[in-house]
Amino acid sequence: MPAVQDPVAQDPIYVTDTLIAEDIDAYLRAHQHKTMLRFITCGSVDDGKSTLIGRLLYDTKMIFEDQLAALEKDSKSVGTQGGEIDFALLVDGLAAEREQGITIDVAYRFFATDKRKFIVADTPGHEQYTRNMVTGASTADLAVILIDARQGVLTQTRRHSYLVNLLGIRNVVLAINKMDLVGYSQERFYEIVKEYSHFAQQIGITAFTAIPISGLRGDNIASRSDAMPWYQGPTLLTHLEDAPVNLSRLQDAPLRMPVQWVNRPNLDFRGFAGQIGSGAVRPGDAIRVLPSGRSTTVKSIVTHDGDLAIAVAGQSVTLTFADEVDCSRGDVIVAADAPCEVADQFEATLVWMDEAEMLPGRPYLLKIGTQVVTATVTEPKYEVNVNTLEHLASKTMQLNAIGVVNISTDRAIPFEAYAQNPDLGGFILIDRISNATIAAGLIHFALRRSQNIHWQAVDINREAHAAQKGQKPVVVWFTGLSGSGKSTIANLVEKKLHALGRHTFLLDGDNVRHGLNRDLGFTDADRVENIRRVGEVARLMTDAGLIVLTAFISPFRSERRMVRDLMAPDEFIEVYVDTPLAVAEARDVKGLYKKARAGQLKNFTGIDSPYEPPEAPEAVVNTVECLPEQAADDIVKVILSR
């Protein structure tokens, strides 16, 4: 490795650890004014993504002699032919990845040249890890889509290209790799370019740069290939150095700053901290806090290094206001004369990332910016076939599906279309039980209905209804397997409450399906919608001051929690009728278990559809050890104690 005499004048990628320790200021000066490009490598399995990144690290001297020696040793141990270095070993560092021969997570790598710094995301090619590719692409300025010259355009190539365009990445490189394995054929290169061009036009990729490469041999990576004199375009590294970044576009947009936290170290100071997503702000600027819409002006821009005269997109700052205006985490500070929209219903593209299917009506957590709200997919519109681009009708979404849906949130949130502002237009969905990220979404626009529906105030409220009846409204939710005894016990409880002069109503699962829910079947999606509707009806009945008893299998914890969240903390009593499957099946009063075992009744809870027992119910009834009459007495005591 050549010695470095002047770290400022020469390429700092050659600076050794010793020099950094001796002259860190010179090292930092060499880097501080460089732009940063974030890019992603994606494509199908074994297209050579890891090898390409390894070659970039090698050609830009981001590995040292000891690493190179270890790399050569590892390459021999895994049996590479012709003494060639296996550059994929540089980035496939995890043992599990090495053993399986795949990348199973997003691996981020840093390298630099004398013109620019880079962060590259190496994403897995397998279809089941599409969610990882979306994660890597969400912060990228450029995408390198690899194609194996022997294989051509594959399904995963199409899926990744569709997602790249969907996520707003406009700088696309089509790196046709392994050209050495097709004899550096110019004809094969243009054949693939033609095929990809046709698909790219269909999905909205209006321009891309095609480069024939060999990641293993280094052709057209950092230097032009002698084996392909017919190619006159840039090398991959040259293109990466010259590609534009998106920061200037964000700085020219109106001010948007999601509030991450309220900074109040003492009683005399109250600031609102966050990273400016777009635009610029100065002291004296008129701003508005959304969703409340309260207006004020910026008093000061505070940082650890002192107050600023201006702050721009990408900077993390604390703003203080000239007036006492309510503002908290999740709110968005915007330019007063150019605010973003606020709504609670949207059309959005959704990329489903979970093994469990998406179920319309199920409540999820939606995180957008710094705000977390409860949301449901109210209506799947269609799913996209990435090969044909057909719009397919679908009631649910499976792993890696891409579709357009309607989303409803439990309260209005500030937003912008993803194409205009990724920070306020991109969101994730989180499972409320496991806290796992299950989907990524991109908002298109607010639904008009969200602007046309307003809450009508009434004079006789739920407190007045309850006072008239002399009772506290509550929902008593009986859950358990079919045949467990839910309806029997609920009926006894209502009789006892009625005898005590209480005002009640019993919603029974079978009875409700004769009217309100007669259009629903017994798929998981229909079960979710069944409980959503019943939950809303139960809430309305408590608004009327009633004690509402419900008897539903309600097999999923998520939906039972949804109904619980509709109510005040002390107005929901979950009763688990705990009857073993064998006992419930032996009773089989309606003959349903017999039909399910014979295959005549699909999606039957306990047989071919799961039941998730409550984790912390207010009451548990064991019908094997307790008679229904005694169980009803115990539950009445629980209700009256409220």
Side-chain angles (χ1 to χ4, degrees), residues 479-489 508 510 551-553 577-593 604-606 611 621-624 628:
T479 176
L481 294 171
S482 177
S484 62
K486 300 182 301 297
S487 295
T488 298
I489 297 172
D508 183 79
D510 283 353
F552 291 82
I553 295 174
V577 184
D578 184 7
T579 302
L581 175 62
V583 175
E585 187 170 358
R587 295 172 180 169
D588 204 12
V589 178
K590 302 173 184 176
L592 300 178
Y593 283 99
F604 191 75
T605 303
Y611 178 79
V621 176
N622 188 325
T623 59
V624 177

Side-chain angles (χ1 to χ4, degrees), residues 445-462:
F445 50 79
L447 299 179
R448 187 180 295 262
R449 70 188 73 157
S450 68
Q451 307 297 329
N452 295 341
I453 300 174
H454 305 279
W455 190 264
Q456 177 63 48
V458 294
D459 293 328
I460 307 301
N461 58 22
R462 70 194 320 267

Side-chain angles (χ1 to χ4, degrees), residues 416-491:
E416 288 189 296
Y418 182 88
Q420 182 178 347
N421 188 329
D423 287 340
L424 290 180
F427 62 87
I428 59 172
L429 293 182
I430 303 168
D431 185 89
R432 288 156 54 96
I433 304 299
S434 67
N435 287 323
T437 299
I438 54 177
L442 296 79
I443 293 177
H444 300 169
F445 50 79
L447 299 179
R448 187 180 295 262
R449 70 188 73 157
S450 68
Q451 307 297 329
N452 295 341
I453 300 174
H454 305 279
W455 190 264
Q456 177 63 48
V458 294
D459 293 328
I460 307 301
N461 58 22
R462 70 194 320 267
E463 288 75 17
H465 286 296
Q468 185 185 53
K469 296 174 177 62
Q471 64 185 33
K472 180 178 178 59
V474 67
V475 170
V476 186
W477 193 276
F478 292 84
T479 176
L481 294 171
S482 177
S484 62
K486 300 182 301 297
S487 295
T488 298
I489 297 172
N491 186 57

Side-chain angles (χ1 to χ4, degrees), residues 37-40 137-145 160-174 196 200-201 203-210 239 243-246 249 349 417-422 442-444:
L37 178 76
R38 293 176 176 266
F39 70 97
I40 180 177
S138 63
T139 57
D141 301 302
L142 178 147
V144 178
I145 300 174
H160 283 183
S161 298
Y162 187 93
L163 290 169
V164 160
N165 186 63
L166 190 66
L167 291 167
I169 301 176
R170 298 294 173 252
N171 200 327
V172 177
V173 175
L174 187 68
Y196 185 82
Q201 290 175 0
I203 64 174
I205 296 179
T206 57
F208 63 89
T209 301
H239 183 81
V245 294
N246 295 327
R249 179 179 66 84
T349 294
Y418 182 88
Q420 182 178 347
N421 188 329
L442 296 79
I443 293 177
H444 300 169

